[in-house]
Amino acid sequence: MSDLQQFRAETRQWLEENCPADMRDGKLSEDTSCWGGRKWEFTSEGQRLWLERMGARGWTVPTWPSEYGGGGLSKEEAAVLKQEMKAIGARKPHDNFGITMLGPALLKFGSEAQKKEHLPKVARGEIRWCQGYSEPNAGSDLASLRTKAEDAGDHYVVTGQKIWTSYADKADWIFCLVRTDSEAPKHKGISFVLFDMESEGVSTKPIKLISGSSPFCETFFDGVSVPKANLVYEENKGWDVAKYLLTHEREMIGSLFGGMSEGRSLGELAVKAIGTNPLGQLDDPLLRAKLIETEIDSLAFGALLQSVSDRAKGGESLGAVSSVLKYYGTELNKRRHELKMEIGGSDEMEMTDNNNDGQAARDWLRTKGNSIEGGTSEVQLQIIAKHILQMPNA
Amino acid sequence: MPLVLTEDQEMLRESAAGFLKDEAPVSALRELRDSGSEDGFSRELWAKMAAMGWAGILVPEEYGGADFGMVGAGVVAEEMGKQLTATPYLSSAIMAATALNALGSQAQKEQHLTKIAAGEELFAIAHDERGKHSTLGVALKAERMGNGFRLNGAKTFVADGHVADQIIVSARTSGEPGEANGITLFLVDSGTDGLKIEKTAMVDSRNAARIDFNNAEVTADAVLGEIDLGADGLEKILNAGRAGLAAEMAGSAAQAFGMTLSYINERKQFGVAVGSFQTLQHRSAHLYTEIEICKALTLKALQSLDEGAEDAAKLVALAKAKATKVSLLAAQEGVQMHGGMGMTDEFDIGLYLKRAKVAGELLGDSSYHGNRLAEMLGY
């Protein structure tokens, strides 16, 4: 038996013994996620046990080095783990912006002390992170951010406002872009700092979206004291960290929406809602044509995701390709939800209890943000034009 | 299987790219067109390609082929697409070789595969009967007559039909057009009595043919595969062609886009390169994204054919539909972004537009394959 086969056999057995029954329903939506952190209330004992057990093995972050609380697995082993989890319908034990965003940035740019301090807590789900990037006047033009961090000897004093901070009201710590040099060109005066959301001077206010939900907050900093030990990488070089992290975020968003063809296809939904003609085709030829156009693009996009992922495994660096994925994946997701609403018609516009509180309509509204958050589609196109196609500056 | 080329396939790509750039660039297509070439391709060049193993790219080694599989065949097709190289590659090396590999009797294989690999015998697939492609829309009649068959009907849009030595013909031995049952494939010598082959110059400067079958008589040996049960084999041949053509179109799209990008980055108006305008940058970035998707999908379809994957037919339909749309988009945007120059015969971009249109129609356009896909997906 090869090492990998052995690993698969052991993994299968461990999962069989340790994955609680109620964590095997194959659900992967935002509602069933376990976000962890100091304020988290577990939805079941199974959810608590699952996070604890996976966290103890570092399998919440399988490829991170074990000295930082990770599983220390190779990419191949991590792929086996994923397959075995999928085979039993295991939920993800833990979601955290610390896993998808901060972790990769700290592994690349963090000091040894920062990695030892923060990464294991992410792995075990003890600290939930949020991201302090956008500001009211720094959206697409992120680098013009104005939240300032003044040097006060052994610490900074942070004052300013962030916006679109995902789950700031539920997070324990924030990774945040601040201006440490207001004289320098805008990209060169930014630093990347970490601090506790319970620090004095931090307050949050949820923003109600058109979908009715409030996943984002306005976040205010009024003279927050941040120890200099919490500066990641060098002072005024935070933009390098920010860009690296955004690459990960965009790739994640793109892949997420590319992989969303799980469950029923649009065609199946439409046949159920509208019925078929005597030829067995959807009884609405124009809608059928629209559906197939979108389904072609969705399935085709799946091939690009696979190609990018396989190339990354081969050691190719992604860089601006993440913008390709983010752009196309989010635009596709908007198209899919427009069509879902068109399929359902007025039924899906009822915001009533017996229509699941209008979930389809809420999801549709929520997707409008997909092509805005994490850099708008227009910003992604600009990145592709500049960094991949190397088109001239205006 | 990882969705990347193997080292061997990568080497094949490099050697194909180099050879085609030197020996068969776009200017070669212009020369064929302007000189009014009867064949529509260069026999000398085809012999060189055969020597490099391309004519036999799908032919087993025992018959002198390179046996590179569909991914290898697609790699070469993609490079040909970049240069708009006119050759009998799709008909002979991809579709006819697939037909004989899958359906040929021992005698048929021995008689033809070695000659295909050597580039000595040219094939055409005569299938379409009207301006729109249809897999099962076969009406051409084959009636039993003694030990053989008598063929009556007409085929159109037969790529390489005017130069073919052998023609693979889809015919109806029973049933009605639209039905799978009752289709039989025949291998017919192009010199057979009763065949009238009329060369049709197409808008992309390549040639095809209309072929009339007027009491053309063939022996029972001419049957390729089984009588009445030819639909599956036909589908195999067409799918190999569709995937190869998708690869060719992905190559053409990438090349048309590259040319356009160079042009708009150089061309100055209002004192600046027009490529510095955001409206062109965003359209270029979108087009780039579509082309990357098209390339990945095409490779996946080719791989699925080599693996004999269950979803191969679905992936091929997807790839042909997508490649048809993307190569047209690349050529249309290319002409527009070239401005007035894009309308001139002097610039190459127009040649890409014409090829995109014809290749898009060949073996089914995006509506045709989209429709099939919807049926495969249950709606």
Side-chain angles (χ1 to χ4, degrees), chain B residues 323-365:
Chain B
T324 296
K325 288 172 72 165
V326 172
S327 69
L328 256 179
L329 179 69
Q332 288 161 343
E333 287 285 74
V335 169
Q336 178 68 19
M337 292 190 197
H338 273 77
M341 291 302 118
M343 292 302 293
T344 65
D345 184 60
E346 184 191 339
F347 272 67
D348 287 338
I349 189 70
L351 297 172
Y352 285 84
L353 175 64
K354 295 171 191 176
R355 179 59 188 162
K357 199 72 191 156
V358 176
E361 198 61 46
L362 190 57
L363 304 175
D365 65 5

Side-chain angles (χ1 to χ4, degrees), chain A residues 288 293 295 297 310 382, chain B residues 3 281-282 322 325 371:
Chain A
R288 179 173 182 266
E293 296 274 342
E295 215 135 47
D297 287 343
D310 289 347
Q382 206 56 44
Chain B
L3 202 51
Q281 294 192 342
H282 286 194
K322 187 73 187 167
K325 288 172 72 165
N371 200 34

Side-chain angles (χ1 to χ4, degrees), chain A residues 109-127:
Chain A
F109 292 98
S111 68
E112 189 58 27
Q114 287 166 343
K115 291 188 227 179
K116 285 237 158 79
E117 166 69 19
H118 297 294
L119 295 179
K121 291 179 188 166
V122 170
R124 293 192 299 265
E126 291 166 7
I127 293 295

Side-chain angles (χ1 to χ4, degrees), chain A residues 206-262:
Chain A
I207 303 167
K208 190 172 177 185
L209 299 185
I210 52 176
S211 60
S213 66
S214 302
F216 301 107
C217 293
E218 289 179 284
T219 309
F220 304 90
F221 309 127
D222 183 10
V224 181
S225 171
V226 177
K228 281 202 173 159
N230 290 357
L231 168 73
V232 175
Y233 199 42
E234 293 168 37
E235 194 174 86
N236 296 328
K237 288 204 174 164
W239 189 248
D240 293 345
V241 185
K243 269 197 309 188
Y244 180 77
L245 193 153
L246 278 173
T247 307
H248 274 266
E249 182 184 4
R250 285 166 184 161
E251 185 198 342
M252 180 190 75
I253 294 174
S255 309
L256 193 67
F257 293 137
M260 294 231 314
S261 14
E262 62 190 52

